[in-house]
Amino acid sequence: MAKAARFVCSSCAAVTSKWAGRCEACGEWNSIVEEAPLSSGPGKAALGARRGKGIALGDLASTEAPPPRTLCGLGELDRVLGGGLVEGSALLVGGDPGIGKSTLLLQAAARFAQAGLDVMYISGEEAAAQVRMRARRLGLADAPVRLGAETDLRNILTTLDAERPALTVIDSIQTMWSDGVESAPGSVSQVRAAAHELTRFAKSRNVSVVLVGHVTKEGQIAGPRVVEHMVDTVLYFEGERGHPFRILRAVKNRFGPADEIGVFEMTGAGLAEVSNPSALFLSERGTPSPGSVVFAGIEGTRPVLVEVQALVAPSPHSQARRTVVGWDGGRLAMILAVLEARCGIPFAGLDVYLNIAGGLKISEPAADLAVAAALLSAREDAALPPETVVFGEISLSGALRPAPQTENRLKEAQKLGFTSAIAPAGGKIGAQSTMSLLRPADLTGFVGEVFGAG
Ligand code: TYD
Ligand code: MG
């Protein structure tokens, strides 16, 4: 019997029975590719015929010590990992091509090696000479990292089995290929098979493996999302072209908090840690101007101050533009709708641009009020009072909800020289806070108090 063709989205790995120009699951265009039918694994008949053996069962109480962790000394990376690298863990580091993944992992590999781990760096993308050149540029040529250039998974697994390094970096998973899989290198099947073999190896030998994955825009190469479910920890390396800031974000972590971020700056000599990101994100801020608002946010376990910029202008088009960078477009539409419905402030016929400065991507609902403030400030052409931070969540009714960790946000703002805050009523304020507070109950109250009658 001929097997039916299978189609897979190379961005999110959704499976469909027919080709489509756009993936229904993730919305990506041109990402659906045909995949060879799965030939491995037992068929129905085989499953019925083969009798498995019973598995060993135990209780939940454990007597084992938690797995050991190793700190590499790059504080930003150690924190994102949840307090260092866990022995025997599988990690995925995803990001756009050219964002600095290879640089980050070479630096991390060198640090872990200097911290005493046996580290191997397998480059499938660049020749060994190129990696050595980068190492020299980064001043890491003397680090005791073992370097190999290879793409054949079988050779890599054989080497790893013989050498048993404590940590192996595979750069990148898309270049690896296994002769047991019929499709081309980079395809969903190849990438999955390679990731599966490598993570299984990591688990069975209790060694750590880091997989590098490029975020891809073309359908022929599978993206890192297709292997996210196989690994313990998923980190994404983000940043804007033209900005030196890079953010390493934990989107999944079996050994630590998700949503933790580490902030780096790309310099001529590699990535430098940024231990005070607020100061960095606010460093580009000029004098207070209409449309600019400082949001006191929380990223992971840390408060981060960042500037929200809005521009509102009469639209020459029949349909006004809504452009967002660093925040959610749907959330912007919601804030605009609430401003119109609850406060009677229309944005129809006005183009709206919203930008989070410094290349940070914000997903916290607590940014709502800062966004609304920036939009109103731009629309009314009136700057907010100087040295003021804003945070709070807006509900569809126009009510304001206090944000978690109010105290930490205020502390960070005070530390950076801010003197006042606009935040919803409720939420604990520290006793030592000298910030002057404006605490509106709802959005209408906020508009009235900050922008006059509105
Ligand atoms: P790279 O780590 O190769 O990115 P990726 O592996 O994610 O594709 O880094 C690419 C960019 O980083 C490249 O454009 C040059 C820049 N870069 C620096 O600015 N400073 C440095 O020290 C290094 C090594 C790279
Ligand atoms: Mg690279």
Side-chain angles (χ1 to χ4, degrees), residues 8-11 19-23 27-33 216-221:
V8 185
C9 170
S10 44
S11 172
W19 190 85
R22 184 169 191 234
C23 173
E28 196 67 54
W29 288 94
N30 271 332
S31 63
I32 308 269
V33 290
T216 55
K217 286 283 163 234
E218 358 156 11
Q220 292 313 310
I221 307 283

Side-chain angles (χ1 to χ4, degrees), residues 289-307:
S289 57
S292 155
V293 168
V294 176
F295 166 53
I298 299 281
E299 291 290 336
T301 53
R302 211 168 32 165
V304 173
L305 265 50
V306 58
E307 184 190 4

Side-chain angles (χ1 to χ4, degrees), residues 35 151 153 173-197 222 226-227:
E35 194 189 53
T151 56
L153 190 64
I173 189 68
Q174 281 111 338
T175 53
M176 298 297 135
W177 63 278
S178 155
D179 52 13
V181 178
E182 267 173 38
S183 49
S187 65
V188 175
S189 330
Q190 281 285 4
V191 167
R192 270 204 193 139
H196 178 73
E197 289 293 330
V226 308
V227 301

Side-chain angles (χ1 to χ4, degrees), residues 331 365-366 368 391-397 399-404 423-426 441:
R331 200 95 194 163
D368 289 354
F391 57 91
E393 188 178 342
I394 300 175
S395 73
L396 285 178
S397 66
L400 299 183
R401 289 195 211 115

Side-chain angles (χ1 to χ4, degrees), residues 37-295:
L38 294 176
S39 53
S40 58
K44 264 195 196 128
L47 202 57
R50 191 177 75 94
R51 272 184 66 87
K53 61 179 194 307
I55 54 176
L57 300 168
D59 52 24
L60 291 177
S62 101
T63 48
E64 297 144 36
R69 291 175 177 262
T70 309
L71 296 169
C72 73
L74 276 173
E76 293 295 295
L77 174 62
D78 286 334
R79 208 187 46 233
V80 171
L81 290 173
L85 178 75
V86 173
E87 185 182 281
S89 60
L91 291 88
L92 171 71
V93 177
D96 288 330
I99 204 73
K101 299 180 296 300
S102 301
T103 308
L104 175 71
L105 285 163
L106 192 58
Q107 289 184 241
R111 292 293 195 111
F112 278 117
Q114 284 157 350
L117 293 187
D118 178 13
V119 182
M120 205 176 273
Y121 188 104
I122 309 288
S123 175
E125 222 144 75
E126 293 159 296
Q130 272 175 294
V131 180
R132 289 199 180 99
M133 235 161 67
R134 178 179 294 132
R136 197 174 326 130
R137 177 174 169 180
L138 298 172
L140 301 173
D142 298 332
V145 174
R146 296 198 278 166
L147 174 67
E150 181 61 76
T151 56
D152 185 333
L153 190 64
R154 200 182 288 260
N155 294 346
I156 291 172
L157 288 172
T158 304
T159 309
L160 293 186
D161 203 25
E163 304 287 335
R164 300 282 171 95
L167 169 65
T168 305
V169 176
I170 303 287
D171 186 5
S172 66
I173 189 68
Q174 281 111 338
T175 53
M176 298 297 135
W177 63 278
S178 155
D179 52 13
V181 178
E182 267 173 38
S183 49
S187 65
V188 175
S189 330
Q190 281 285 4
V191 167
R192 270 204 193 139
H196 178 73
E197 289 293 330
L198 287 162
T199 50
R200 201 173 61 170
F201 179 85
K203 296 288 145 191
S204 63
R205 307 297 197 290
N206 206 31
V207 295
S208 300
V209 172
V210 178
L211 310 175
V212 176
H214 292 297
V215 171
T216 55
K217 286 283 163 234
E218 358 156 11
Q220 292 313 310
I221 307 283
R225 284 184 64 186
V226 308
V227 301
E228 279 184 357
H229 61 283
M230 293 181 205
V231 295
D232 301 307
T233 301
V234 177
L235 309 177
Y236 276 92
F237 206 36
E238 306 165 347
E240 296 271 318
R241 287 273 155 81
H243 274 292
F245 319 136
R246 297 285 180 269
I247 289 147
L248 185 67
R249 184 185 297 275
V251 299
K252 162 182 169 181
N253 195 351
R254 289 193 182 134
F255 307 114
D259 273 335
E260 187 65 83
I261 65 165
V263 184
F264 297 88
E265 185 177 0
M266 182 61 97
T267 70
L271 291 156
E273 289 184 77
V274 176
S275 43
N276 188 347
S278 300
L280 179 84
F281 289 131
L282 295 181
S283 64
E284 293 184 348
R285 196 169 57 115
T287 49
S289 57
S292 155
V293 168
V294 176
F295 166 53

Side-chain angles (χ1 to χ4, degrees), residues 249 259 295-306 308 326-328 331 334-335 356 360-371 390-394 401-406 408-409:
R249 184 185 297 275
D259 273 335
F295 166 53
I298 299 281
E299 291 290 336
T301 53
R302 211 168 32 165
V304 173
L305 265 50
V306 58
V308 180
W327 206 51
D328 180 41
R331 200 95 194 163
M334 190 195 98
I335 303 286
I356 308 296
L360 189 64
K361 288 194 184 75
I362 291 185
S363 55
E364 249 199 307
D368 289 354
L369 194 58
V371 168
V390 183
F391 57 91
E393 188 178 342
I394 300 175
R401 289 195 211 115
Q405 302 197 42
T406 295
N408 283 341
R409 295 174 204 260

